[in-house]
């Protein structure tokens, strides 16, 4: 039988390693790593694992990174059966390589697969695939402030068939991309536009799954915001168009003058961010009052204007923690606090980054060392 439903099946699957015969030379790599930006510089290799209903997961490979050749009738090109993950590998202060909470990404990848009716990759195979790519491409860590190796595991329906049904074949790939700090010097506060016309996720839909389709559905609103001079879109709930949910790819937190914090509750329409979860855990540990409760856009504006709300920030793997300076909704624009990064936001970000980089104690065993 196959591994479609067995979460902890042992990874008997051996990885065949085919080294890239023409890797990027070291001078060119050094040039790329000096200022990699985000998502444009890729390493020499990739991982690929195949699935079909008959064989289950098979043919695990580490191979030279390169183009795929796929039939134009491949299911993903028509019905968007695709999911992904995003996490960073870090070089710790002592030079060893580490991942941050990869088990959480492995579990979420399975949850996303379930929602999209895809084959579920066993969690240990997911983690082993990350270990393989980071190990072979260990020379691709940028040695710059905030630098890391961003890992992008993803999976798509690869059956060649135009009928509408869950694919019987899948291809799983992991790419690695050298990235710098998301922002060059400290984190500037971003400006947000509340989308009045579009929503991102509806009850019963795929909002909690990390699937490409959610992003496709958010792009028109995001492009509209950028065209108007904003940095990001805030999505409201689809039913009442009132409750603040999240940005296109980051979760939201609100910080109040009484020292408490709040974030919208997970309930199927919000992506359960691992950064969100880590920050909630750290805040509770600090004795901070934490609410996972709905927050309306009217209340956000009223609290910002009265001073009850002092800070707001977005969070996710790529940018970690990003302060929000200004928000424009149906009833005009409002500023948050002094409009720049607040004390609480900066403190939480520094605490999380210190754990991720191996510079602070890690009581929850979030950091997985790879060597
Ligand atoms: C990935 C993602 C996040 C952030 O999740 P992290 O695990 O913290 O990186 C938030 N919202 C959406 C829509 C996402 O896809």
């Amino acid at each position: 039988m196959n591994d479609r439903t067995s979460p902890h099946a042992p990874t008997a699957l051996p990885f065949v390693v085919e080294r890239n015969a023409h890797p990027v030379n070291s001078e060119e790599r050094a040039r790329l790593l000096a200022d990699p930006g985000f998502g444009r510089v890729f390493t020499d290799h990739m991982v690929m694992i195949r699935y079909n209903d008959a064989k289950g997961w098979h043919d695990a490979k580490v191979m030279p990174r390169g183009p795929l050749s796929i039939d134009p009738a491949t299911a993903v090109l028509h019905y968007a059966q695709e999911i992904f993950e995003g996490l960073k590998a870090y070089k710790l202060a002592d030079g060893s390589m580490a991942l941050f909470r990869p088990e959480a990404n492995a579990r979420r990848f399975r949850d996303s697969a379930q929602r999209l009716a895809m084959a579920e990759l066993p969690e240990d195979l997911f983690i082993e695939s990350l270990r393989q790519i980071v190990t072979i491409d260990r020379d691709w860590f940028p040695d710059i402030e905030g630098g890391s190796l961003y890992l992008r595991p993803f999976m798509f329906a690869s059956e060649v068939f135009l009928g509408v049904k869950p694919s019987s074949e899948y291809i799983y790939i992991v790419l690695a991309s050298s990235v710098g700090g998301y922002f060059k010097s400290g984190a500037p506060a971003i400006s947000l536009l509340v989308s009045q016309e579009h929503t991102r996720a509806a009850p019963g839909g795929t909002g909690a799954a990390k699937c490409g389709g959610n992003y496709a559905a958010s792009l028109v609103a995001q492009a509209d915001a950028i065209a108007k001079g904003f940095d990001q879109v805030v999505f409201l709930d689809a039913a009442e168009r009132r409750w603040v949910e999240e940005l296109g790819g980051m979760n939201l937190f609100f910080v109040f003058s009484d020292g408490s914090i709040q974030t919208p509750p997970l309930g199927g329409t919000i992506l359960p961010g691992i950064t969100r979860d880590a920050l909630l855990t750290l805040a509770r540990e600090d004795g901070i009052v934490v609410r996972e409760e709905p927050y309306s856009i009217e209340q956000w504006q009223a609290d910002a204007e009265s001073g009850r709300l002092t800070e707001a920030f977005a969070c996710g793997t790529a940018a970690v923690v990003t302060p929000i300076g200004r928000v424009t909704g149906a009833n005009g624009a409002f500023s948050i606090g002094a409009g720049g990064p607040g004390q609480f936001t900066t403190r939480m970000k520094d605490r999380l980054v210190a754990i991720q980089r191996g510079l602070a104690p890690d009581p929850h065993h979030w950091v997985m060392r790879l060597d």
Side-chain angles (χ1 to χ4, degrees), residues 189-240:
I190 56 173
S191 69
L192 305 179
L193 177 65
V194 181
S195 182
Q196 305 301 326
E197 193 182 349
H198 302 104
T199 57
R200 181 190 160 271
T206 57
K210 211 166 172 75
C211 62
N214 288 343
Y215 280 74
S218 74
L219 293 179
V220 67
Q222 177 67 24
D224 178 51
I226 300 282
K228 292 177 174 153
F230 299 93
D231 296 308
Q232 289 271 333
V233 188
V234 185
F235 288 102
L236 301 177
D237 78 291
E240 295 180 59

Side-chain angles (χ1 to χ4, degrees), residues 14-27:
F15 280 77
V16 173
V17 178
E18 183 202 337
R19 281 201 159 263
N20 192 330
H22 306 283
V24 173
N25 69 51
S26 55
E27 298 85 69

Side-chain angles (χ1 to χ4, degrees), residues 32 40 53 77 89 120 133 146-147 151 165 194-195 201-203 231 241 250-251 256 267 302 306 339:
L32 292 168
R40 292 193 188 277
D53 279 351
L77 301 178
E120 292 173 38
I133 191 76
L151 305 179
K165 64 153 188 98
V194 181
S195 182
D231 296 308
R241 304 286 182 110
M250 284 189 267
N251 296 119
F256 298 92
S306 73

Side-chain angles (χ1 to χ4, degrees), residues 39-83:
R40 292 193 188 277
V41 173
F42 295 99
T43 62
D44 291 315
H45 299 88
M46 62 185 183
V47 166
M48 185 183 293
I49 313 177
R50 291 177 181 271
Y51 173 92
N52 66 38
D53 279 351
K55 291 200 218 171
W57 292 100
H58 63 281
D59 199 11
K61 290 189 285 212
V62 181
M63 59 200 282
R65 196 187 92 84
L68 304 175
S69 171
I70 57 174
D71 191 287
T74 299
V76 66
L77 301 178
H78 302 272
Y79 309 122
Q81 217 191 349
E82 188 270 353
I83 57 171

Side-chain angles (χ1 to χ4, degrees), residues 84-86 105 108 200 207 210 215 246-251 271-276 315-318:
F84 66 96
E85 271 301 327
N105 295 93
R108 189 169 68 188
R200 181 190 160 271
K210 211 166 172 75
Y215 280 74
E246 63 169 307
L247 308 187
M250 284 189 267
N251 296 119
L271 199 287
I274 295 161
T275 316
R276 174 189 182 278
C315 67
T317 294

Side-chain angles (χ1 to χ4, degrees), residues 30 43-44 54 57 73 85-86 94 132 136 144 158 167 181 184 191 204 211 215 246 253-254 271 278 311 319 358 362:
T43 62
D44 291 315
W57 292 100
E85 271 301 327
D94 64 10
Q132 292 281 341
I136 199 163
I144 52 174
S158 54
S167 176
K184 288 231 147 45
S191 69
C211 62
Y215 280 74
E246 63 169 307
F253 274 86
F254 309 98
L271 199 287
E311 301 175 36
D362 176 26

